[in-house]
């Protein structure tokens, strides 16, 4: 089992020689932190100044980490991955706005996506971000237990309605819907809403999935509590577990405002928290479905080992592995080749609007120790195998 992720021929089977070269040089650039900082600043400036850089971005970093500018634009990538047994989660990666029209636009996009997903076996999940449906400050105020004004109460009712419309449509279509997690100081309001949606729409099947960021030390207890509530309430828990995406922001805010950080004290504690969540989900598989979003090889091996030791089928419909498009192909494609359920998050949207997502990916790859070096090592190995 331990050698499965070393097979670069399977990992990069979909990449042409030119795409392999692009990936290699892209990760070489990302591995240099000052270069990422300079590149990020220049890109932001160029886009704000309306300089003609979208073509360059599209053919480099955008095409590596994104599927296209629209759903239809993504389909060649979706179909190529599907041929290799890897499913897709189409992710409209346009950041949340603060005015009502874009919030209604995000709802319309999710409803449209649900119809689109229903027609495609290769796309088993839809997804949305809570801040796509409501203002961050509103979630923050509710999460802090503060009193809402009359207009804010009406505004929150609209947020609830957007959630409900999306989850009801997912339920009617029989499509699973992943709801992303965001910063800890707005998350309680989102968690409460997702719990209400599960209570309404997860009676018979796993339709609504919440996301738990396991770099938070409180999430194991939260998960345990969610399982208990579901059991007593007669509904099921869909859970996507990830390590988390806002580490520096979380620690900085906690230090600035003088409260204990919600983040685990070490990477080791985060890893243990993540692996414990996997075990907890599998211990309650009669009532829990698990989407394990991880780029970590050891956590992937852990889940594979647990599936084997519990005599579960590799393709048990309640257990999914997930990675982001453009990263960890050695995990995704080798797992799919071995018969596991795997889905790649495939971001899409107008190049300009997706830039905040792309910048986060570049910064994340720079800051996660060893991740970029691992990608480079595997790309080098495959270049050598092909003798490029």
């Amino acid at each position: 089992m331990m050698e499965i992720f070393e097979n670069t021929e399977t990992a990069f089977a979909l990449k042409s020689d030119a795409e392999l070269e692009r990936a290699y040089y892209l990760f070489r650039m990302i591995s240099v932190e000052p270069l990422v900082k300079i590149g990020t600043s220049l890109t932001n400036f160029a886009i704000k100044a309306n300089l003609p850089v979208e073509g360059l971005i599209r053919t480099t970093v955008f095409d590596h980490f994104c599927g296209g500018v629209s759903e239809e634009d993504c389909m060649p990538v979706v179909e190529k991955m599907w041929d290799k047994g890897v499913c897709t989660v189409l992710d409209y990666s346009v950041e949340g706005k603060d005015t009502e029209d874009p919030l209604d636009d995000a709802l319309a996009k999710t409803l449209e996506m649900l119809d689109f997903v229903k027609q495609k076996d290769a796309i088993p999940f839809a997804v949305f971000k809570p801040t796509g449906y409501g203002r961050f400050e509103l979630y923050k105020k509710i999460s802090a237990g503060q009193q809402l004004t009359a207009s804010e109460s009406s505004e929150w009712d609209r947020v609830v309605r957007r959630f409900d419309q999306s989850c009801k449509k997912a339920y009617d279509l029989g499509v699973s819907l992943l709801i992303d997690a965001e910063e800890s100081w707005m998350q309680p309001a989102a968690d409460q809403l997702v719990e209400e949606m599960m209570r309404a729409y997860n009676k018979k099947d796993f339709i609504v999935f919440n996301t738990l960021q396991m770099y938070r030390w409180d999430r194991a207890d939260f998960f345990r509590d969610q399982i208990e509530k579901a059991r007593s309430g007669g509904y099921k828990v869909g859970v996507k577990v990830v390590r988390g995406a806002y580490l520096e922001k979380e620690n900085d805010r906690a230090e600035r405002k003088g409260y204990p950080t919600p983040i685990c004290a070490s990477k080791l504690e985060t890893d243990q928290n993540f692996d414990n969540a996997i075990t907890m989900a599998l211990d309650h598989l009669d009532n829990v479905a698990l989407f394990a979003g991880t780029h970590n090889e050891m956590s992937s091996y852990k889940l594979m080992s647990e599936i084997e030791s519990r005599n579960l089928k590799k393709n048990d419909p309640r257990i999914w592995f997930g990675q982001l498009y453009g990263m960890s192909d050695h995990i995704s494609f080798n797992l799919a080749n071995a018969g596991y359920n795997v889905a790649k998050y495939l971001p899409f949207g107008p190049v300009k609007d997706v830039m905040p997502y792309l910048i986060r990916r570049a910064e994340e790859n720079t800051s996660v120790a060893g991740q970029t070096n691992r990608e480079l090592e595997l790309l080098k190995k495959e270049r050598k195998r092909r003798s490029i």
Side-chain angles (χ1 to χ4, degrees):
M1 189 187 280
M2 291 301 284
E3 283 76 43
I4 186 174
F5 298 141
E6 297 301 320
N7 185 336
T8 59
E9 185 175 2
T10 297
F12 301 118
L14 292 186
K15 285 195 178 349
S16 66
D17 288 353
E19 287 167 337
L20 193 74
E21 286 294 273
R22 181 184 68 194
Y24 174 68
Y25 285 108
L26 192 58
F27 277 106
R28 270 186 65 179
M29 285 168 60
I30 288 171
S31 69
V32 183
E33 191 171 351
L35 206 55
V36 171
K37 283 189 163 64
I38 293 165
T40 295
S41 301
L42 287 175
T43 302
N44 280 331
F45 170 78
I47 285 174
K48 282 173 185 164
N50 287 316
L51 297 177
V53 293
E54 287 197 14
L56 176 63
I57 294 165
R58 172 85 210 239
T59 55
T60 53
V61 66
F62 183 92
D63 278 353
H64 182 83
F65 289 113
C66 300
V69 296
S70 67
E71 298 97 319
E72 289 297 341
D73 199 19
C74 291
M75 284 315 295
V77 175
V78 170
E79 284 162 3
K80 281 203 302 183
M81 291 201 294
W82 178 238
D83 285 344
K84 299 294 182 185
V86 175
C87 294
T88 297
V89 181
L90 275 182
D91 183 13
Y92 186 60
S93 294
V94 174
E95 302 287 289
K97 304 289 196 301
D98 287 341
T99 53
E100 287 291 304
D101 284 351
L103 299 175
D104 286 330
D105 290 346
L107 169 63
K109 175 57 75 174
T110 302
L111 297 177
E112 177 192 317
M113 288 292 307
L114 283 163
D115 282 325
F116 190 77
V117 166
K118 178 63 178 173
Q119 308 305 318
K120 311 284 182 186
D121 289 342
I123 313 175
F125 299 92
V127 62
F128 72 86
K129 279 168 74 85
T131 49
Y133 283 8
R135 279 189 309 119
F136 187 96
E137 290 301 315
L138 189 61
Y139 284 104
K140 180 180 160 186
K141 194 167 182 180
I142 292 167
S143 295
Q146 295 171 359
Q147 190 73 34
L148 298 185
T149 64
S151 69
E152 285 171 337
S153 291
S154 298
E155 190 184 348
W156 183 247
D157 287 343
R158 292 194 293 276
V159 176
V160 174
R161 200 154 56 241
R162 291 182 191 110
F163 266 73
D164 191 63
Q165 271 185 265
S166 303
C167 295
K168 184 179 187 306
K169 178 150 193 175
Y171 173 81
D172 290 342
L173 293 173
V175 171
S176 292
L177 183 58
L178 302 165
I179 301 174
D180 283 341
E182 300 185 64
E183 290 90 341
S184 63
W185 56 98
M186 62 74 66
Q187 194 60 43
D191 284 337
Q192 185 55 47
L193 250 183
V194 179
E195 186 184 311
E196 288 170 23
M197 296 300 115
M198 284 189 195
R199 202 176 287 276
Y201 299 113
N202 282 16
K203 294 280 189 190
K204 292 181 181 174
D205 212 345
F206 300 101
I207 299 296
V208 180
F209 281 65
N210 200 4
T211 300
L212 304 186
Q213 300 185 101
M214 301 312 297
Y215 66 1
R216 286 182 55 178
W217 50 261
D218 66 343
R219 292 292 88 177
D221 286 341
F222 175 84
F223 187 20
R224 204 171 285 110
D225 182 55
Q226 290 292 296
I227 292 169
E228 193 46 53
K229 280 183 178 176
R231 195 171 296 288
S232 59
Y235 62 96
K236 297 175 182 292
V237 176
V239 65
K240 181 178 82 167
V241 293
V242 298
R243 277 171 170 76
Y246 305 96
L247 189 143
E248 286 174 12
K249 191 191 277 193
E250 291 280 1
N251 282 331
D252 287 349
R253 186 177 190 269
E255 189 175 340
R256 202 171 62 250
K257 292 188 172 282
Y259 61 83
T261 178
I263 304 300
C264 290
S266 67
K267 172 75 165 58
L268 178 62
E269 281 184 34
T270 296
D271 291 341
Q272 288 169 339
N273 222 22
F274 184 94
D275 291 346
N276 290 342
I278 284 176
T279 299
M280 203 186 310
L282 296 183
D283 284 345
H284 297 89
L285 210 52
D286 59 323
N287 217 43
V288 174
L290 171 68
F291 187 105
T294 182
H295 294 258
N296 185 290
E297 292 176 15
M298 296 316 296
S299 290
S300 301
Y301 284 130
K302 154 97 174 159
L303 181 49
M304 292 161 70
S305 173
E306 293 244 12
I307 288 169
E308 188 178 338
S309 66
R310 293 165 189 261
N311 294 317
L312 297 166
K313 289 183 178 175
K314 287 181 179 179
N315 64 345
D316 187 303
R318 298 164 296 182
I319 307 169
W320 284 81
F321 293 81
Q323 289 81 41
L324 298 169
Y325 183 71
M327 293 164 63
S328 301
D329 286 348
H330 66 297
I331 294 177
S332 310
F333 289 95
N334 282 308
L335 280 173
N337 191 51
Y340 295 93
N341 296 322
V342 183
K344 283 279 208 190
Y345 257 65
L346 185 64
F348 74 97
V351 176
K352 194 172 176 179
D353 293 337
V354 175
M355 279 316 298
Y357 169 86
L358 292 172
I359 287 165
R360 269 211 314 280
R361 286 288 76 79
E363 289 172 346
E364 183 182 287
N365 273 283
T366 306
S367 64
V368 176
Q371 183 155 297
T372 301
N373 288 339
R374 180 65 170 141
E375 296 279 358
L376 273 171
E377 175 199 322
L378 291 158
L379 288 161
K380 275 183 199 168
K381 184 178 173 184
E382 180 60 9
R383 286 170 88 236
K384 187 175 179 184
R385 192 192 69 79
R386 297 187 195 184
S387 299
I388 293 176

